[in-house]
Amino acid sequence: MTHTLVLYYLVFLLPTESCRTLYQATSKSKEKVHARPHGVCDGVCTDNSQCTQPCPPDTQGNMGFSCRKKTWHKITDTCRTLNALNIFEENLYSVQPFAENVKINVYHGKPDTITDILLQKCPTDLSCVIKNIQQSPRIPGNIAIIVQLLHNISTAIWTGIDEAKMQSYSTIANHILNSKSISNWTFIPDRNSSCVLLHSVNSFARRLYIDKHPVDISDVFIHTMGTTISGDNTEKNFTFSMRVNDTSNEVTGRVLISRDELRKVTSPSQVISIAFPTIGAILEASLLENVTVNGLVLSVILPKELKRILLIFDKISKSEERRTQCVGWHSVESRWDQQACKMIQEDSQQAVCKCRPSKLFTSFSILMSPHILESPILTYITYVGLGISICSLILCLSIEVLVWSQVTKTEITYLRHVCIVNVATTLLMADVWFIVASLLSGPVTHHKGCVAATFFVHFFYLSVFFWMLAKALLILYGIMIVFHTLPKSVLVASLFSLGYGCPLVIAGITVAATEPGKGYLRPEACWLNWDMTRALLAFVVPALAIVAVNLITVTLVIVKTQRAAIGNSMFQEVRAIVRISKNIAILTPLLGLTWGFGVATIINDRTLAFHIIFSLLNAFQGFFILVFGTILDPKIREALKGRVASAKWSSRISENVSSEFSCHPTKGPS
């Protein structure tokens, strides 16, 4: 009995490899589940209450439930038919699995763990447990036990792993990698079990010895290939073709090692690759990740001299409207990492990735965004709107040049037009750099050019906002006369410091803090990163703060004009209402309040309507500035009429002078 307890303790409480625990808050809440009598979970439940139920007959363990929206939902499941003792029994499923008198042999040499027993009972191929494992149901408790067994084997056996052992190991792993078991991984209390399995398989395969002939071990849900290489090889590749989604459809994954890389190998070495069609979905289910693996997961074990490989993935989902990312599995942090790979080429059928295998990154795949982030309608609206916006801004600046001397005769009008000109200039530059950034985006990324384009897009769009803020402060200045003691030169210097200095500081700090760690750019576009470094906050936070300030400014303008209308006649009240409407119509596009719709796209990024409204209002913002900031300004229209009348008068005078000369020609000497 003592031997039995010690054996059970050493096997199932053995520490696992380092694998970061995700969703700790959820795990902690599950630790608080209190055992209650059988049947309680069938009764009335209140939100956030929890309870446990015993497992069905002939199994051990329990099931944990949580009440959400007045319904019990299973959150954990440890039900199992396997344990450290009966896994070696013959004809396990022809008798009761948990009979009181379970017998095991006490082996000479005092074995300490289940691995020792396994190696003594079947030292050549690990086959003595395969039958019981293959016959066991793929319930969460059994999956957890098999994962622990595979982990213990991979840590205990350091040498002598031949093709037979690898075949047996793959057969055991294949049982719990079955696509029918994916949903059960969700209920295993240890959320790290899936990454422990991936790490264990890779560790075991790393010690596989390949003799003369290539290794090709194929199961339905795990396929291992290996061969020897040397510096004189022209090229090496492995091609895997496996079924996914329980259909007859197959997807292909290829590992390519170029001739240039092979030349780095100084002595004959081994290359091993493993393909998994279901481990991606299992990782997603067990770690509760909001990403979808859209191809095979390929593990690659290379000699240390090789630093670059090409991986070609067939896409499981052929959707062209969802973004694809090349990623590597970070074995320490237990997450998909975009820094391990970069996209080389992509179409609707395949993605080609260049990856950097290392001790941290052994497994690679492609991810598909869970949401449709791009729409042809949005693309059309954006580019048409940008074209109109750029033309409108050029026209706006041209008009300002024509009428500048006529409309800037007072201090307040001079400062107002300084703001308008700089808003138009910075928005024009931002739109131009946005087009440059879009041309540099795509599967083949021009990194340095993309960094430069992103910096200027970030800087100029921030400048638009800060000049809009300057415009808002200037409106307050005009209404409340709060800066009347300041000279014009000080006000101009303050406006330029605010409009260009603050954006330059923010954009500079952002690129300096994130680019050294390759966290400045998004992998699929020339724009600020969000997933890794939250660099996008350096644009969103200042922009939304300025929008809030401008909203307050609009409110103050309305209140001020309303107070002016109190006590006036009905006609004057109507005129006041019209004046308020004009103020709102001018300030809303000019001060960037339309960017407030961006909040809706962040909160609900699946609703296409929000994206269309946001794209329309912002892509046509240059047109709005031309209309509301320039054309509808009475003083600008009056100045333009004066310039046109002056031009006509000058033209008429020229015509008169010309006709005078033609009617009375100068007489020459006779």
Side-chain angles (χ1 to χ4, degrees):
M1 187 65 180
T2 302
H3 285 83
T4 302
L5 291 175
V6 171
L7 175 61
Y8 191 88
Y9 175 81
L10 289 173
V11 173
F12 293 101
L13 296 184
L14 186 68
T16 62
E17 294 290 326
S18 173
C19 191
R20 187 182 63 177
T21 303
L22 302 179
Y23 295 87
Q24 294 178 353
T26 304
S27 300
K28 289 180 180 178
S29 67
K30 293 172 183 175
E31 292 173 1
K32 297 179 182 179
V33 177
H34 300 289
R36 298 180 185 179
H38 178 76
V40 171
C41 292
D42 297 329
V44 178
C45 70
T46 58
D47 285 348
N48 299 321
S49 60
Q50 297 179 342
C51 72
T52 60
Q53 287 270 64
C55 288
D58 298 334
T59 61
Q60 288 186 335
N62 55 65
M63 297 176 288
F65 294 83
S66 177
C67 181
R68 297 193 299 271
K69 297 180 179 180
K70 307 300 181 181
T71 305
W72 290 109
H73 297 270
K74 184 166 70 171
I75 55 176
T76 60
D77 186 335
T78 61
C79 299
R80 61 190 182 275
T81 60
L82 296 173
N83 60 32
L85 307 179
N86 66 13
I87 198 169
F88 292 102
E89 288 184 15
E90 296 181 2
N91 302 321
L92 171 61
Y93 290 94
S94 63
V95 297
Q96 292 294 327
F98 294 104
E100 293 184 1
N101 299 320
V102 178
K103 296 181 181 180
I104 69 167
N105 295 324
V106 179
Y107 299 98
H108 298 291
K110 298 180 180 180
D112 293 323
T113 67
I114 194 172
T115 309
D116 295 326
I117 301 175
L118 179 63
L119 294 179
Q120 289 192 33
K121 290 201 68 174
C122 46
T124 58
D125 58 4
L126 313 177
S127 61
C128 56
V129 296
I130 289 179
K131 184 177 180 180
N132 284 343
I133 287 175
Q134 287 183 319
Q135 292 179 348
S136 65
R138 301 179 186 90
I139 53 180
N142 282 351
I143 293 173
I145 287 176
I146 295 169
V147 169
Q148 187 64 67
L149 172 64
L150 292 171
H151 170 72
N152 290 351
I153 293 172
S154 69
T155 56
I157 304 177
W158 290 95
T159 59
I161 298 179
D162 55 16
E163 188 170 352
K165 283 190 175 68
M166 191 69 215
Q167 176 68 71
S168 299
Y169 193 93
S170 296
T171 301
I172 297 171
N174 185 74
H175 181 70
I176 55 175
L177 287 169
N178 192 297
S179 58
K180 296 178 181 178
S181 71
I182 293 174
S183 59
N184 286 333
W185 285 83
T186 307
F187 304 112
I188 299 176
D190 182 6
R191 296 292 181 191
N192 297 312
S193 294
S194 56
C195 63
V196 169
L197 173 64
L198 181 60
H199 177 82
S200 300
V201 173
N202 291 339
S203 297
F204 192 81
R206 190 179 295 276
R207 296 188 291 274
L208 173 63
Y209 174 72
I210 301 173
D211 193 5
K212 296 179 180 179
H213 304 288
V215 171
D216 191 341
I217 302 169
S218 179
D219 284 292
V220 178
F221 302 103
I222 178 172
H223 187 177
T224 303
M225 299 175 71
T227 188
T228 57
I229 60 171
S230 60
D232 57 358
N233 289 126
T234 56
E235 186 182 79
K236 282 293 181 182
N237 71 82
F238 301 109
T239 300
F240 302 93
S241 186
M242 308 184 80
R243 288 190 302 162
V244 294
N245 299 334
D246 296 325
T247 67
S248 58
N249 297 329
E250 292 189 344
V251 294
T252 300
R254 295 183 65 192
V255 180
L256 294 147
I257 306 173
S258 67
R259 183 175 183 179
D260 291 338
E261 283 293 310
L262 289 171
R263 287 174 178 172
K264 299 176 182 178
V265 178
T266 57
S267 60
S269 305
Q270 296 186 172
V271 174
I272 298 169
S273 185
I274 312 168
F276 306 88
T278 57
I279 192 68
I282 289 171
L283 288 167
E284 179 184 355
S286 58
L287 297 178
L288 307 178
E289 289 197 336
N290 190 28
V291 295
T292 301
V293 174
N294 199 28
L296 299 178
V297 174
L298 299 178
S299 293
V300 184
I301 300 164
L302 301 174
K304 61 182 180 180
E305 295 92 346
L306 301 185
K307 304 296 183 183
R308 297 285 187 276
I309 56 171
L310 281 179
L311 302 174
I312 303 175
F313 297 95
D314 274 1
K315 293 181 178 180
I316 298 172
S317 172
K318 312 297 184 183
S319 173
E320 297 183 1
E321 298 177 340
R322 298 177 186 267
R323 289 179 182 158
T324 301
Q325 300 171 356
C326 297
V327 291
W329 181 256
H330 198 299
S331 59
V332 174
E333 298 182 1
S334 302
R335 61 177 176 84
W336 292 111
D337 194 321
Q338 301 168 12
Q339 296 188 52
C341 300
K342 73 174 183 177
M343 185 78 71
I344 299 299
Q345 187 177 351
E346 180 190 4
D347 57 32
S348 62
Q349 304 295 317
Q350 289 185 331
V352 181
C353 307
K354 181 182 286 187
C355 299
R356 298 177 291 104
S358 64
K359 290 183 178 180
L360 287 179
F361 299 106
T362 302
S363 302
F364 307 92
S365 192
I366 53 173
L367 301 184
M368 179 178 65
S369 171
H371 310 313
I372 297 176
L373 300 179
E374 295 179 354
S375 167
I377 298 175
L378 290 178
T379 303
Y380 180 78
I381 290 172
T382 299
Y383 284 102
V384 170
L386 281 174
I388 296 174
S389 181
I390 289 173
C391 294
S392 300
L393 291 168
I394 293 173
L395 182 58
C396 175
L397 292 172
S398 301
I399 293 173
E400 286 289 338
V401 170
L402 287 174
V403 302
W404 183 263
S405 59
Q406 284 80 22
V407 297
T408 58
K409 294 179 179 180
T410 65
E411 179 181 297
I412 189 67
T413 56
Y414 174 82
L415 295 174
R416 176 177 175 272
H417 282 276
V418 165
C419 289
I420 291 175
V421 167
N422 281 279
V423 166
T425 301
T426 53
L427 184 58
L428 176 62
M429 296 303 297
D431 288 346
V432 170
W433 276 106
F434 180 88
I435 294 173
V436 173
S438 66
L439 294 175
L440 293 174
S441 299
V444 180
T445 302
H446 306 276
H447 184 75
K448 292 183 180 179
C450 200
V451 169
T454 301
F455 173 82
F456 285 115
V457 171
H458 186 201
F459 169 70
F460 281 115
Y461 272 126
L462 279 179
S463 293
V464 172
F465 277 99
F466 277 95
W467 275 107
M468 289 175 177
L469 176 62
K471 170 67 173 160
L473 296 177
L474 195 62
I475 291 173
L476 292 178
Y477 170 64
I479 294 175
M480 305 176 71
I481 317 298
V482 294
F483 297 123
H484 65 285
T485 59
L486 297 175
K488 185 169 74 171
S489 59
V490 173
L491 287 173
V492 172
S494 300
L495 291 176
F496 274 84
S497 297
L498 179 65
Y500 292 111
C502 293
L504 183 61
V505 170
I506 295 172
I509 291 175
T510 304
V511 69
T514 58
E515 176 55 23
K518 302 301 181 185
Y520 183 58
L521 301 175
R522 295 189 179 192
E524 72 283 352
C526 294
W527 184 228
L528 299 173
N529 188 284
W530 172 254
D531 296 326
M532 294 170 54
T533 60
R534 299 295 192 265
L536 184 59
L537 290 176
F539 174 74
V540 172
V541 172
L544 294 184
I546 291 172
V547 166
V549 172
N550 291 345
L551 280 171
I552 296 172
T553 302
V554 171
T555 304
L556 290 174
V557 170
I558 294 173
V559 170
K560 189 71 175 179
T561 53
Q562 280 180 332
R563 286 179 179 176
I566 294 175
N568 292 337
S569 65
M570 181 64 69
F571 176 72
Q572 290 173 324
E573 289 181 3
V574 170
R575 290 185 64 185
I577 292 172
V578 171
R579 188 166 60 252
I580 294 171
S581 300
K582 285 184 178 180
N583 283 328
I584 295 174
I586 293 171
L587 291 172
T588 298
L590 192 58
L591 301 184
L593 300 183
T594 54
W595 286 79
F597 279 95
V599 177
T601 65
I602 295 173
I603 294 173
N604 188 355
D605 63 348
R606 301 187 190 186
T607 303
L608 185 60
F610 289 150
H611 287 276
I612 291 175
I613 294 171
F614 183 57
S615 297
L616 277 172
L617 290 174
N618 288 282
F620 288 90
Q621 197 166 21
F623 176 74
F624 296 152
I625 289 174
L626 171 65
V627 173
F628 297 114
T630 302
I631 296 177
L632 293 183
D633 189 321
K635 292 185 178 181
I636 291 180
R637 292 204 306 270
E638 185 180 343
L640 280 175
K641 288 178 182 178
R643 290 299 298 264
V644 171
S646 176
K648 287 182 179 179
W649 179 254
S650 299
S651 176
R652 188 172 301 171
I653 291 175
S654 299
E655 289 176 0
N656 291 336
V657 171
S658 299
S659 62
E660 185 72 22
F661 273 97
S662 62
C663 293
H664 304 284
T666 303
K667 294 182 179 181
S670 55

